[in-house]
Amino acid sequence: MPRRADLGRIPTADLAYALNRLIQDGKTSLTEVRRFAEERPARIAALERELATLKTGRAVAKALSRPADHQAAPAKRPKRKFTMTARARAARKRQGQYLAALKKLKGVERARVKTVARKEGVAKAVELARKLAKAVPPKAA
């Protein structure tokens, strides 16, 4: 188990000075300090519930599993289900075709296709890349 620093013996004024120096040096930020300070009541409540569980057993644990107020343990927001639109799906498909077509090209032709993609769009660039790829003779094995 890692050893923890005993901050109880350090005077409060010295701790405040050290914390301000850490913030000034960029080792931590004021928002991090506030976040930890705001977490303290919820952490204390959780530790108290765990202690009650250890003292009295499972019956009390079920009764205390839900906090009396939602301030003690904030509820997690449900994860958003990802839905892709038809437009986004088509854009991803075109992007994949574009990358596959570019892979077959080298040098000047590749640069030319990229320019077309920027100016006229990915669909036109894919057409050009496929046409250029057909014109390039395959490598001899």
Side-chain angles (χ1 to χ4, degrees):
M1 185 171 199
R3 212 175 109 183
R4 296 179 66 183
D6 187 15
L7 298 178
R9 295 184 185 150
I10 301 173
T12 307
D14 292 344
L15 285 174
Y17 170 78
L19 192 58
N20 284 329
R21 283 297 307 268
L22 286 171
I23 292 170
Q24 287 173 357
D25 291 346
K27 303 289 184 190
T28 188
S29 67
L30 190 57
T31 54
E32 285 179 329
V33 173
R34 283 193 179 127
R35 182 172 52 92
F36 285 127
E38 290 169 358
E39 284 177 1
R40 188 171 179 258
R43 179 141 168 76
I44 289 171
L47 289 170
E48 286 173 345
R49 282 194 306 273
E50 188 176 346
L51 184 61
T53 302
L54 290 172
K55 282 183 178 178
T56 58
R58 190 169 176 85
V60 172
K62 282 189 177 181
L64 293 177
S65 65
R66 279 199 184 133
D69 60 332
H70 58 277
Q71 199 63 285
K76 289 185 179 179
R77 287 174 38 194
K79 195 170 184 179
R80 182 179 82 87
K81 185 179 178 187
F82 182 75
T83 53
M84 186 181 295
T85 63
R87 187 175 184 180
R89 188 176 293 113
R92 284 191 178 183
K93 182 177 179 181
R94 270 194 312 273
Q95 181 67 13
Q97 290 171 345
Y98 171 72
L99 291 173
L102 263 187
K103 205 176 237 187
K104 297 174 186 172
L105 302 176
K106 300 284 183 221
V108 178
E109 293 174 340
R110 188 181 181 107
R112 189 170 145 203
V113 170
K114 285 184 177 185
T115 306
V116 170
R118 267 185 252 116
K119 289 183 180 177
E120 300 177 31
V122 175
K124 296 268 185 179
V126 170
E127 287 177 29
L128 176 64
R130 286 183 178 160
K131 189 169 73 173
L132 290 173
K134 285 181 184 176
V136 174
K139 289 184 179 178

